[in-house]
Amino acid sequence: MRSILQSIYKIFSTIGSAVSGSEKNFTSGSINRAIFMLSVPMIIEMIMESLFAVIDIYFVGKVSVNAIATVALTESVIMIVYALSIGFSMAATAMVARRVGENKPEEANNVAVQAIFITILTSLIFSAAGMFFAKDILTLMGGEKDLVEEGYGYTMIMLAGNVTIMLLFLINAIFRGAGDASIAMRVLIVSNCLNIVLDPILIFGLGPIPAFGIEGAAIATTIGRGIGVAYQLVVLTGAKGIVQVKLKHLKIHWDTVWKIVKVSVGGIGQYMIGTLSWLFLVRISAVFGAEVLAGYAVAFRIIMFTILPSWGLSNAAATLVGQNLGAGQPDRAERSVWKCAFYNMIFLGLISIVFISWAEEFVRIFSSEAEVVKYGALALRVISCGYIFFAYGMVIGQAFNGAGDTKTPTIINLFCFWLFEVPMAYAMAVYFGLGPIGIFLAIAIASTALAAASIVIFKKGRWKLVEI
């Protein structure tokens, strides 16, 4: 009995350490413990990030149909902001982790400052577009006149305040690279709590606070993210973290800026390739009617939510690769990746069994239409068959990024998604007459191909020689 209690205590103690972020350097000790310490806060962080859109669409849905459409159209434009943010974040994680592993804190500080400079300058372009061209942007995206008049304020505020989105992504990536994933987690918890409280107040009004309607959602989200960024900057300029930005660091180093930009390009490309391929699959699905399109959309949302823990494991692999390469331990970096991939395979394998067994029940949470449930369940079952392989592709892709080799996964994604998945989906579904199942099969097959290509290239080991 005592041994059982001791084991339980040890488990909760380890979880507490992971959440509190008591360990930051993972170049020695147990790899399993390192994976756990990094992945737990990263998984929570991923869930918190996904909540922004869910909360906004929930409250905005009570305003009007045009309000929902405005959010959807604006999010389509902000995908470009997300792409840039993710690219800069990949570069920041890889370079900070490498400098931490090399035990060069001053150079890590320099990378953090240069990345922040680049991000702020880039965000000014989108801020200007939002301030002066919000109506034109919504019109260009296909918004009707009444929708544009009702919703342009939301678009204007979201784009004008895009610096909060970009900095939130970037500075959290800096923390992850330094091994302090718990700070990134806490930042998003604070931001989401503020958004949840402010959304209904600013949308519908409360006491002396007027109802701003859809604009209230943009204000709430920007304030929530803005407070999160302020929290990040307080920690970043404090005296406790590995990365400590001081006044002396606030100057531009063009050589570092150029390195960040070069590494970022691959990350931006990866996100855009994946996003655009999904849009093309949506277009192919639309050929078979609204029910098929809705079923695919529901299945895709379920899949994206359930793989959030996998992204946590993948980001943990990126940090472990960066730190261990910096410490001159490429073999430990490689072992960390294979272990992360194996644990991810077990997780997604279990998820796939659940989806194959109870696909209809999951789809019915979002729709009661019989045809939507039919095609949504079919999509879940077929796509899930590629989960066990996709687990390896996700982790190894992020391992390349963590090494600073963003070019390799970009090429793999381009081949597997654009030159393989999209043409195969069209051919199987339309040309060969398989219908919707042809699209779903193409996704599962392409996921398997991506994993196989990633494994083969990863085993060659060239990523160990990348200098950043």
Side-chain angles (χ1 to χ4, degrees):
M1 184 66 179
R2 177 180 291 180
S3 62
I4 294 173
L5 291 174
Q6 287 175 338
S7 298
I8 293 172
Y9 173 78
K10 187 176 181 180
I11 291 169
F12 280 98
S13 177
T14 305
I15 293 172
S17 297
V19 172
S20 65
S22 58
E23 295 180 26
K24 299 177 178 63
N25 191 305
F26 300 99
T27 56
S28 61
S30 167
I31 292 177
N32 288 336
R33 180 179 174 82
I35 293 171
F36 186 85
M37 297 293 285
L38 281 168
S39 61
V40 167
M42 286 181 180
I43 289 168
I44 297 173
E45 181 195 350
M46 292 295 103
I47 293 172
M48 289 295 105
E49 179 59 44
S50 71
L51 278 178
F52 274 112
V54 173
I55 296 301
D56 277 359
I57 206 72
Y58 173 79
F59 287 113
V60 163
K62 301 179 184 299
V63 177
S64 68
V65 173
N66 276 345
I68 299 173
T70 299
V71 172
L73 293 178
T74 303
E75 282 293 314
S76 299
V77 177
I78 289 179
M79 279 167 59
I80 302 172
V81 175
Y82 288 144
L84 292 168
S85 301
I86 289 169
F88 294 149
S89 297
M90 285 181 181
T93 296
M95 294 179 70
V96 169
R98 186 73 68 94
R99 301 295 88 85
V100 169
E102 293 169 346
N103 197 25
K104 297 177 179 177
E106 280 300 301
E107 292 190 22
N109 296 337
N110 177 44
V111 170
V113 171
Q114 306 313 307
I116 290 172
F117 280 153
I118 296 169
T119 299
I120 292 174
L121 288 173
T122 304
S123 73
L124 293 177
I125 299 170
F126 294 96
S127 293
M131 291 291 291
F132 301 109
F133 303 108
K135 288 186 177 180
D136 301 288
I137 289 169
L138 284 178
T139 301
L140 185 65
M141 293 299 294
E144 299 291 336
K145 186 175 180 181
D146 59 335
L147 180 149
V148 172
E149 288 302 320
E150 181 181 344
Y152 80 92
Y154 175 88
T155 305
M156 181 176 68
I157 294 167
M158 288 297 292
L159 286 175
N162 80 93
V163 67
T164 61
I165 298 173
M166 297 189 79
L167 284 179
L168 202 66
F169 268 97
L170 177 83
I171 302 176
N172 273 352
I174 292 169
F175 289 138
R176 287 197 297 271
D180 202 351
S182 65
I183 289 292
M185 173 196 71
R186 290 199 289 272
V187 165
L188 282 170
I189 289 174
V190 169
S191 297
N192 267 293
C193 287
L194 284 168
N195 190 42
I196 291 169
V197 172
L198 291 175
D199 249 351
I201 294 175
L202 295 177
I203 292 172
F204 306 111
L206 180 67
I209 301 174
F212 291 97
I214 185 176
E215 292 178 16
I219 296 170
T221 300
T222 303
I223 290 175
R225 284 188 166 124
I227 297 296
V229 171
Y231 178 20
Q232 289 175 322
L233 292 174
V234 168
V235 176
L236 202 61
T237 55
K240 293 183 178 180
I242 291 178
V243 178
Q244 300 174 11
V245 174
K246 306 299 180 186
L247 284 174
K248 66 179 181 180
H249 300 125
L250 301 182
K251 50 187 175 183
I252 295 180
H253 295 269
W254 291 108
D255 57 334
T256 305
V257 167
W258 179 236
K259 285 181 181 178
I260 293 171
V261 171
K262 284 200 298 183
V263 177
S264 298
V265 168
I268 294 166
Q270 289 172 49
Y271 182 84
M272 293 303 293
I273 288 167
T275 301
L276 290 174
S277 67
W278 177 75
L279 291 176
F280 267 81
L281 292 177
V282 168
R283 181 66 187 85
I284 297 171
S285 299
V287 170
F288 300 100
E291 291 82 5
V292 173
L293 180 58
Y296 172 56
V298 168
F300 187 79
R301 286 182 181 276
I302 293 170
I303 288 168
M304 289 305 295
F305 189 78
T306 55
I307 65 174
L308 287 173
S310 294
W311 282 117
L313 274 166
S314 301
N315 286 335
T319 298
L320 288 167
V321 166
Q323 287 197 4
N324 284 290
L325 286 181
Q329 300 183 95
D331 290 341
R332 179 180 169 86
E334 184 172 358
R335 289 200 307 275
S336 299
V337 174
W338 290 124
K339 286 198 173 191
C340 283
F342 178 72
Y343 296 144
N344 199 27
M345 180 193 69
I346 292 174
F347 170 73
L348 287 184
L350 292 173
I351 291 293
S352 66
I353 291 171
V354 171
F355 282 164
I356 290 170
S357 302
W358 297 287
E360 286 85 1
E361 285 75 6
F362 280 98
V363 178
R364 285 195 187 98
I365 295 173
F366 298 89
S367 175
S368 57
E369 293 288 332
E371 288 296 293
V372 173
V373 171
K374 172 185 172 182
Y375 289 110
L378 179 64
L380 270 185
R381 286 197 171 100
V382 175
I383 295 172
S384 291
C385 292
Y387 255 30
I388 196 167
F389 305 104
F390 185 54
Y392 273 82
M394 287 180 69
V395 171
I396 293 175
Q398 282 298 84
F400 283 127
N401 291 327
D405 181 12
T406 55
K407 181 180 177 181
T408 295
T410 302
I411 294 172
I412 293 173
N413 285 1
L414 180 64
F415 175 80
C416 291
F417 291 140
W418 275 96
L419 302 179
F420 188 58
E421 181 184 69
V422 172
M424 181 168 56
Y426 182 81
M428 293 174 70
V430 179
Y431 187 78
F432 292 108
L434 292 180
I437 195 171
I439 301 171
F440 310 145
L441 280 170
I443 296 171
I445 295 169
S447 297
T448 305
L450 183 143
S454 298
I455 290 170
V456 169
I457 296 172
F458 184 78
K459 281 186 171 182
K460 292 182 178 180
R462 296 193 187 100
W463 55 274
K464 299 177 183 178
L465 307 176
V466 176
E467 296 291 336
I468 55 174

